[in-house]
Amino acid sequence: MTKLFDLRPVGKAHNFFGYYNKSNFHKNNRFLLAHRVDMLSKDLTGTEIAEVGYYDLRNNDMFHKLGETTAWNWQMGCQLQWLGDTDKVIFNTRAAGKDTPVYADFQSTVVDIHTGDIQYLPLPIYVVAPHGDFALTLDYARFMVTHRTIGYNATHHQHKLELCPKDDGIYRMDIATGDFTLILSLDDVRNFQPLPSMKNAIHWVTHMEINPSGTRCVFIHRWTERVLDETCFLHRLFTINCDGSEMKLLECSDHPLPQLADDFDIRAVGTFDYEKSEYQISHPMWKSDTEIIVWGPHNGAIHYHLYNDANDTVQIIGKDILNENGHMTYSQDGRWLLSDTYPNAHTNDRILFVYDCKHNRRIDIASLYTPPDLGKHNRCDLHPRWSPNNKHICIDSVHQGKRQMYVIDVHFEPSYST
């Protein structure tokens, strides 16, 4: 490990948070959400228990358990997150046998960290609006077929999936009441400017993110004829109002797929070849109510691109400096772009860094080793996340032989902050 900043481990058990798209820091910058598990890695069956709770960073990292769940994966966990600006936490749980016509295996649970009061909601969550009033969600069991890394095992057996159903897609759920409605079906997405490559493909939606005001959502539409080879995935980037109206296509990476040839050897595909594909569209995040940062191709070249949802312009960010896919988020003032890389194929190291948008320079924070035998579904990406005051970063890492969260002080030297 090469480090430029101090990485402080949090807790002693195996623990992690998951995805990069939300902060696990409480608004007071003191409490840090986490999943605690008893193993570094395992092929999940849907029976493994993860404790959910938070660490108190100002009280010897004391862990406060809020509940348990079996509805989780190594990449996203159970979508554990603070509910808006409150002292409540929301996360996905298993609800086998409940009388709900949609996603009957899973629900979501809200816990007040002070009173312990619990509220159960009829659907799982994928993304919660910044104000905490509603959530958008998808079928996690469908992901077990289309993109296993972010799926949950079904309680009893995996149902056979239609290629592009009219009764499945993006659901909106009211947090206060639990009322929900289908706002966009997979059939609707496929039939929006359809392409020949979609005809025999299975379709799904992923990477939903809601803008700061809670009015628009960005998502990726993916489709493929070969779900076991991610290099065969095709991608489109969309935005839509959070009631399902005014859908807009921002980008499409439809391209020829030699991998579909009968003699193509899927064993020749490396663990991270998909993330390093020249056609990949991934990890969209809102910078503002109208701007979206994404890794993907535009006009024949792949970069970090900043899309403007209002005027349809596209800008390259960090040209010749930011040249790898990563998990990126902006600081509150938009000055710093926090991100990471996937493991180097030769050293198995990945880089954690910030990019200074003002001075067009990259500052590497750490180079961290990851064991190559963790594989695709059980890997531990860094998934860097800002604290609300942008003075700290939290990551997940396995460079010391445990699946562990680390907090990093990023008070930059004066030469970096001018």
Side-chain angles (χ1 to χ4, degrees):
M1 178 189 74
T2 302
K3 67 178 183 178
L4 305 179
F5 291 70
D6 288 331
L7 282 72
R8 181 173 77 83
V10 179
K12 296 180 179 179
H14 290 291
N15 64 78
F16 71 102
F17 178 67
Y19 233 30
Y20 68 102
N21 59 338
K22 50 192 172 291
S23 178
N24 52 338
F25 287 91
H26 186 264
K27 60 186 177 182
N28 64 11
N29 300 286
R30 173 176 177 173
F31 301 148
L32 194 70
L33 292 175
H35 307 78
R36 291 208 313 184
V37 294
D38 61 4
M39 62 279 194
L40 167 67
S41 176
K42 182 183 179 182
D43 293 335
L44 301 178
T45 64
T47 61
E48 294 79 9
I49 294 173
E51 295 181 330
V52 297
Y54 65 92
Y55 287 96
D56 187 340
L57 300 180
R58 298 180 196 166
N59 187 14
N60 298 315
D61 293 347
M62 180 181 291
F63 185 74
H64 297 263
K65 181 178 175 179
L66 298 173
E68 296 181 347
T69 184
T70 58
W72 62 281
N73 55 58
W74 291 114
Q75 277 288 291
M76 293 182 171
C78 60
Q79 295 288 20
L80 176 64
Q81 57 198 279
W82 298 103
L83 187 56
D85 198 31
T86 72
D87 290 334
K88 295 180 179 181
V89 170
I90 188 169
F91 55 97
N92 291 336
T93 49
R94 191 170 298 270
K98 69 184 177 72
D99 187 20
T100 301
V102 180
Y103 309 156
D105 284 325
F106 310 110
Q107 63 182 8
S108 49
T109 300
V110 179
V111 181
D112 187 305
I113 68 170
H114 299 301
T115 67
D117 291 345
I118 297 176
Q119 174 192 7
Y120 297 105
L121 295 168
L123 300 186
I125 55 168
Y126 188 95
V127 60
V128 177
H131 300 303
D133 52 339
F134 71 92
L136 301 179
T137 196
L138 300 162
D139 185 359
Y140 285 91
R142 187 175 188 86
F143 284 138
M144 291 303 294
V145 172
T146 62
H147 196 175
R148 185 179 182 88
T149 305
I150 57 174
Y152 301 157
N153 283 280
T155 300
H156 300 293
H157 63 275
Q158 181 67 38
H159 58 285
K160 185 176 181 180
L161 299 181
E162 296 181 42
L163 294 180
C164 198
K166 295 181 179 180
D167 60 353
D168 194 10
I170 301 175
Y171 277 83
R172 174 175 171 145
M173 179 175 64
D174 184 272
I175 298 296
T177 66
D179 294 339
F180 58 86
T181 184
L182 180 67
I183 64 170
L184 185 71
S185 74
L186 292 174
D187 186 66
D188 292 333
V189 180
R190 178 189 58 183
N191 288 322
F192 188 97
Q193 300 179 19
L195 298 166
S197 58
M198 298 179 182
K199 183 178 180 181
N200 299 314
I202 191 168
H203 297 252
W204 69 102
V205 164
T206 186
H207 286 80
M208 291 192 297
E209 300 295 338
I210 299 172
N211 69 357
S213 65
T215 57
R216 294 282 283 177
C217 173
V218 63
F219 67 87
I220 297 174
H221 167 216
R222 288 178 174 159
W223 66 101
T224 187
E225 293 184 38
R226 183 176 286 176
V227 292
L228 295 180
D229 181 359
E230 292 177 325
T231 60
C232 292
F233 290 2
L234 299 168
H235 317 258
R236 296 197 296 181
L237 184 69
F238 282 97
T239 55
I240 193 170
N241 285 341
C242 289
D243 62 1
S245 62
E246 297 186 26
M247 186 161 63
K248 178 188 289 189
L249 177 61
L250 299 181
E251 196 66 66
C252 177
S253 71
D254 183 49
H255 59 278
L257 290 172
Q259 299 96 322
L260 292 180
D262 292 338
D263 60 352
F264 181 78
D265 185 4
I266 192 174
R267 294 170 297 179
V269 179
T271 301
F272 296 100
D273 284 0
Y274 168 62
E275 279 78 10
K276 298 180 180 182
S277 164
E278 62 191 293
Y279 301 107
Q280 163 81 295
I281 297 178
S282 64
H283 309 132
M285 279 293 292
W286 293 92
K287 179 184 180 183
S288 66
D289 265 349
T290 58
E291 298 168 294
I292 302 159
I293 186 74
V294 65
W295 173 261
H298 179 73
N299 288 338
I302 193 162
H303 296 285
Y304 278 67
H305 282 114
L306 189 67
Y307 289 79
N308 192 304
D309 189 39
N311 61 24
D312 299 327
T313 58
V314 185
Q315 175 187 355
I316 297 174
I317 303 299
K319 186 177 182 181
D320 301 323
I321 298 176
L322 307 180
N323 52 16
E324 292 185 59
N325 191 3
H327 305 94
M328 55 283 197
T329 51
Y330 279 95
S331 59
Q332 291 288 340
D333 61 3
R335 164 76 183 273
W336 303 96
L337 183 66
L338 171 66
S339 194
D340 60 357
T341 67
Y342 284 92
N344 180 286
H346 302 291
T347 67
N348 295 304
D349 288 342
R350 55 270 178 90
I351 307 300
L352 175 69
F353 67 90
V354 290
Y355 169 72
D356 183 350
C357 299
K358 183 177 181 180
H359 296 296
N360 188 36
R361 59 184 173 183
R362 169 176 151 171
I363 302 166
D364 287 354
I365 295 174
S367 175
L368 302 170
Y369 176 78
T370 182
D373 58 356
L374 283 182
K376 184 73 175 180
H377 307 306
N378 298 354
R379 72 184 191 267
C380 181
D381 293 337
L382 298 180
H383 289 153
R385 304 166 291 268
W386 289 108
S387 63
N389 61 11
N390 293 144
K391 293 181 178 180
H392 298 88
I393 292 167
C394 180
I395 63 169
D396 301 335
S397 185
V398 290
H399 65 274
Q400 292 183 321
K402 277 192 173 184
R403 191 177 292 258
Q404 181 67 281
M405 295 194 312
Y406 295 83
V407 171
I408 307 153
D409 186 324
V410 286
H411 290 87
F412 296 118
E413 296 177 8
S415 59
Y416 289 145
S417 59
T418 56

